[in-house]
Amino acid sequence: METVAGTDKLSRALVRPVLTIGNFDGVHVGHRAIMKTVIERARALGGESVVLTFDPHPRKVLQPDRAPSLLTTREQKLEALEAIGIDVAILQPFDLEFAKISPGDFVRNIVFERIRPVEVFVGYDFRFGRDRQGSMAALGEIGAKLGISVTIIPEIRINDLDVNSTRIRELLAKGEVEEAQVLLGRPFSIRSVVLEGDRRGQTLGFPTANLGPENEILPAVGVYAGEFRVLVEHSSGPANALYPAVINVGTRPTFFKSGRLLAEAHLLDFEGDLYGLSVELSFHYRLRSEQKFPGPKELKVQIAADVVMASERLGVA
């Protein structure tokens, strides 16, 4: 996939581009439905599938105190777009000056003059231009005058509820990672570098990788079963090696009265040094709430039980 840092950085004419526009936080199943159509139409026309998205998220600039915590990092979003099959991703820098562009100027000067799409597909709730004044009807009218076909993709509903990033955030806040996975189309995951910890897990016989997540969201406090992916080549395996894991998100109340929120993972059947490595941790199943135990002995017994349960849920022999 070709990545371009803004429409003004396009160095070539795109080939019969079929375009979609949006923030696409999470790249969930609703977003994927739009992109599937874009890719299919691009192939039918012998053109390129193109995503125009904004960086940072507009509300981070316009309403920083009310901006949503994002489901994906920039790198995760781009990797998801590439995995879907998008040909070109344009990361449009968004600042206060860009926010002043009127809906008409956005379509004419940004979309038409720089990208020259033959077709545009957007979601049912798409708004654009200064103060989000641009409606879907306006997009269709302006597009028709410029010779651009504009199609609105209807909402995707699962279990009688529409799929959107807000609902996914709400599910994660309750620890409902399995339900979030249905809407995302994949397990929720976080990126991190493995940090040096206090080695308390090692003294219990269950060494953990301590994480400093780059993502803005963690699932609710609790214990989960998931997968630990090492993004780079390391002493115990190649890049992108996957390991089943028991994951704890919490404050470790057995040892601390008011500890800071941490994410840590115990890898099943793994031995090696992971300190300083870039990793991705995905949450597949919630096993239980975080608990305070009388002491290390009781905690060790519970962790052993968590390992057994995680192995069963993940299908690990």
Side-chain angles (χ1 to χ4, degrees):
M1 183 180 74
E2 181 181 352
T3 302
V4 183
T7 54
D8 60 338
K9 296 296 191 297
L10 283 165
S11 59
R12 65 178 180 87
L14 299 176
V15 179
R16 298 184 62 76
V18 178
L19 174 70
T20 185
I21 311 168
N23 292 309
F24 304 120
D25 180 34
V27 195
H28 55 59
V29 295
H31 299 146
R32 288 164 185 256
I34 298 172
M35 292 173 195
K36 179 182 177 182
T37 302
V38 166
I39 291 168
E40 290 174 349
R41 288 299 299 155
R43 289 175 179 168
L45 296 171
E48 295 178 284
S49 55
V50 183
V51 168
L52 174 61
T53 189
F54 305 98
D55 185 52
H57 190 291
R59 284 179 63 184
K60 298 284 188 184
V61 175
L62 299 174
Q63 298 175 307
D65 56 332
R66 298 173 56 192
S69 296
L70 301 183
L71 295 166
T72 52
T73 65
R74 180 190 299 111
E75 290 73 20
Q76 285 178 310
K77 179 193 285 191
L78 291 174
E79 287 177 17
L81 296 179
E82 184 171 23
I84 291 168
I86 293 296
D87 294 314
V88 181
I90 304 173
L91 286 175
Q92 179 62 49
F94 192 94
D95 55 22
L96 291 174
E97 194 62 31
F98 189 87
K100 296 177 183 178
I101 298 175
S102 70
D105 285 345
F106 173 75
V107 177
R108 286 186 291 267
N109 301 337
I110 303 298
V111 175
F112 178 71
E113 289 295 335
R114 297 180 180 178
I115 301 176
R116 297 279 174 169
V118 292
E119 295 183 5
V120 175
F121 293 84
V122 292
Y124 69 98
D125 56 352
F126 179 70
R127 306 286 298 188
F128 63 100
R130 183 173 54 239
D131 297 327
R132 291 171 51 87
Q133 294 173 349
S135 65
M136 291 179 289
L139 179 62
E141 292 172 4
I142 300 170
K145 293 177 182 178
L146 297 171
I148 303 172
S149 169
V150 177
T151 302
I152 308 301
I153 303 296
E155 65 181 349
I156 300 296
R157 296 180 66 83
I158 295 178
N159 299 328
D160 293 326
L161 296 172
D162 63 307
V163 178
N164 59 58
S165 301
T166 299
R167 178 158 289 113
I168 295 169
R169 281 189 280 270
E170 291 171 350
L171 290 171
L172 292 173
K174 294 185 288 186
E176 297 176 1
V177 295
E178 294 173 65
E179 292 81 357
Q181 179 174 339
V182 172
L183 304 190
L184 281 167
R186 66 189 186 285
F188 174 71
S189 61
I190 61 173
R191 289 280 172 89
S192 179
V193 170
V194 178
L195 306 175
E196 185 82 33
D198 56 17
R199 299 183 182 269
R200 194 176 297 274
Q202 191 166 2
T203 64
L204 294 171
F206 297 97
T208 60
N210 295 279
L211 308 178
E214 301 166 8
N215 295 69
E216 298 179 4
I217 292 177
L218 280 173
V221 167
V223 179
Y224 301 85
E227 287 186 322
F228 188 98
R229 179 162 69 103
V230 184
L231 301 175
V232 296
E233 185 176 350
H234 54 292
S235 59
S236 299
N240 294 311
L242 277 173
Y243 304 97
V246 177
I247 307 161
N248 184 74
V249 176
T251 60
R252 299 186 292 178
T254 301
F255 303 105
F256 303 99
K257 289 184 178 180
S258 58
R260 62 190 180 93
L261 187 65
L262 294 172
E264 53 186 341
H266 168 66
L267 282 60
L268 308 184
D269 300 322
F270 174 85
E271 291 184 5
D273 183 2
L274 297 170
Y275 292 124
L277 298 182
S278 295
V279 301
E280 183 172 80
L281 189 61
S282 58
F283 297 79
H284 293 225
Y285 307 102
R286 182 178 172 89
L287 302 180
R288 62 176 176 86
S289 301
E290 185 177 53
Q291 299 171 247
K292 180 178 180 179
F293 294 91
K297 180 180 178 181
E298 293 81 3
L299 175 58
K300 183 176 180 178
V301 171
Q302 180 59 59
I303 295 175
D306 295 337
V307 168
V308 172
M309 188 182 302
S311 298
E312 292 174 350
R313 298 299 302 272
L314 297 170
V316 179

